[in-house]
Amino acid sequence: MIDLALDIASWISFALGGFFLIVGAIGMIRLPDFWSRLHGAGVIDTAGAELILLGMMFQAGLTQVTIKLILIGLFVFLTSPTGTHAVANAAFVAGIRPLGEIKNDDTKEPKGTKS
Amino acid sequence: MFTAATMAVSITMALILIRAFLGPTVYDRVLAVNAFGTVTVLIIGLIGFLTERPEFLDIALLYALINFVGTIAILKFFRYRALGRTSEANSQATNGEAAE
């Protein structure tokens, strides 16, 4: 009974994690801009990775393997936002800016000088 | 179960590699390689479960650390064109070393 419940929990975690992984990867290919591709990488690094690790934890049970999985999850949880922030900061310093301009169609303000 | 998860992770790796090859700027490639490293950690763990050798998780833990350090090192190299010290402090530091 408990095994069946753990199997079901693992299936749900793997299905959700695989969904988020593939959605993030498709986003990294389809999105038009570097700054929007950061969102796809963020989905892969947080939701996808943590859910796949959670599914493996359900299968491992209360053993040493689970502790290693928790450690991996903690490291990924701490380092991947830091890495993404470092990439974004380096790209900003290098002069890459987001696509498009802010539109002020409703207020009809005169366009200022471009920065 | 683990086979299905491994297939999803493999598809993700292929899609991320497409972005890593296409990426117009170097930062797209660095971002793709960073995500690829995270997914590699997952697939190492899943292969460990598939072959019933959970010792693979040690390799996955090490890979997570090396992936982070490698990303930061690549970014620092592309920003300063040097790994040891920043380019502003480079001349002063070399003068200091020469004085020693």
Side-chain angles (χ1 to χ4, degrees), chain A residues 28-29 34 37 45 68, chain B residues 15 19 27-28 38 57-58:
Chain A
M28 280 189 75
I29 289 182
F34 169 73
R37 280 175 210 135
D45 283 344
K68 287 178 191 169
Chain B
L15 293 177
R19 174 49 68 195
Y27 300 102
D28 286 300
T38 308
L57 285 174
D58 296 332

Side-chain angles (χ1 to χ4, degrees), chain A residues 20-33 36-41 44, chain B residues 15 19:
Chain A
F20 278 119
L21 282 177
I22 292 176
V23 163
I26 290 174
M28 280 189 75
I29 289 182
R30 296 275 303 176
L31 287 175
D33 188 7
S36 47
R37 280 175 210 135
L38 282 172
H39 297 294
I44 290 174
Chain B
L15 293 177
R19 174 49 68 195

Side-chain angles (χ1 to χ4, degrees), chain A residues 7 10-11 14 21-22 25 28-29 34 37-38 44-45 49 56 59 65 68-69 72 75 79 86-87 90 94 96, chain B residues 1-2 5 9 12 15-16 19 27-28 31-32 38-39 41-42 45 49 54 57-58 60-61 65 68 72 75:
Chain A
D7 277 352
S10 283
W11 269 113
F14 280 150
L21 282 177
I22 292 176
M28 280 189 75
I29 289 182
F34 169 73
R37 280 175 210 135
L38 282 172
I44 290 174
D45 283 344
M56 284 195 272
Q59 285 298 306
V65 175
K68 287 178 191 169
L69 282 170
I72 293 174
F75 277 127
T79 55
V87 177
I96 299 175
Chain B
M1 185 191 311
F2 294 119
V9 171
T12 309
L15 293 177
I16 291 173
R19 174 49 68 195
Y27 300 102
D28 286 300
L31 187 67
T38 308
V39 175
V41 170
L42 295 180
F49 274 96
L57 285 174
D58 296 332
L61 189 56
L65 292 170
F68 175 64
I72 299 296
L75 286 175

Side-chain angles (χ1 to χ4, degrees), chain B residues 5-73:
Chain B
T6 310
M7 282 174 63
V9 171
S10 304
I11 293 169
T12 309
M13 291 173 91
L15 293 177
I16 291 173
L17 269 188
I18 292 174
R19 174 49 68 195
F21 283 126
L22 283 181
T25 66
V26 69
Y27 300 102
D28 286 300
R29 297 177 206 268
V30 173
L31 187 67
V33 167
N34 190 13
F36 191 81
T38 308
V39 175
T40 306
V41 170
L42 295 180
I43 207 170
I44 289 173
L46 283 171
I47 286 174
F49 274 96
L50 266 181
T51 57
E52 296 182 351
R53 290 174 65 188
E55 297 87 9
F56 274 40
L57 285 174
D58 296 332
I59 306 173
L61 189 56
L62 193 65
Y63 202 94
L65 292 170
I66 290 177
N67 182 34
F68 175 64
V69 176
T71 303
I72 299 296

